[in-house]
Amino acid sequence: MTPERFAALAAAYGGAIDRWPADERDAARAFREADPAAADAILAAEAALDAALARWAVPAPGAALAGRIARDAARRRAVWRHGRLWLAGLGLAGALASGGAIGAVLVARLVPAGGAACSQSLTVLGAPVPSCGNAANWSDTL
């Protein structure tokens, strides 16, 4: 193990070799036996950082912070509820508009042009339309 690798492992895992990955421990111990002064200097620096981190504690939040979080959460829920109504309205409007557009396209495609002769026209189901002047029962032609 090189001194750089030993220092990198100490920086990553701390000043106690027992907390290092199992496959690195034997090589680290061998390096420490080969060069105890360098290894102990690196481990001492990392042990000091470990001790400082162990002493550090996050203070408990105060009642004011808890109250502010609860108020903000209630306000955001109310805003989201109001926004959901708008989204539902927009969705309904979009569905109605697209239905109208599809209906208009279908009517334009399926209804024969105004200049076509009535005898050449077909119904939506493909049956010929009776002549324009004849008001006969269409069931005869189907």
Side-chain angles (χ1 to χ4, degrees):
M1 177 172 288
T2 65
E4 293 81 20
R5 177 72 179 153
F6 188 86
L9 288 169
Y13 298 105
I17 294 177
D18 294 335
R19 292 189 304 217
W20 293 14
D23 56 341
E24 299 284 351
R25 290 180 196 156
D26 291 336
R29 288 186 182 111
F31 176 79
R32 187 174 185 192
E33 289 176 11
D35 191 1
D40 288 342
I42 293 170
L43 291 176
E46 296 303 326
L49 177 61
D50 290 345
L53 290 174
R55 285 189 309 269
W56 185 70
V58 177
L65 177 62
R68 191 169 72 224
I69 290 171
R71 282 191 309 275
D72 287 349
R75 183 177 47 215
R76 287 185 181 163
R77 264 182 288 176
V79 168
W80 178 244
R81 244 184 254 130
H82 185 67
R84 283 193 319 199
L85 290 176
W86 277 100
L87 289 175
L90 287 175
L92 181 61
L96 291 174
S98 63
I102 290 171
V105 167
L106 287 176
V107 166
R109 297 293 239 144
L110 297 177
V111 172
C118 293
S119 61
Q120 295 174 350
S121 300
L122 298 175
T123 65
V124 175
L125 299 175
V129 175
S131 63
C132 295
N134 186 3
N137 186 358
W138 282 28
S139 63
D140 296 339
T141 60
L142 297 177

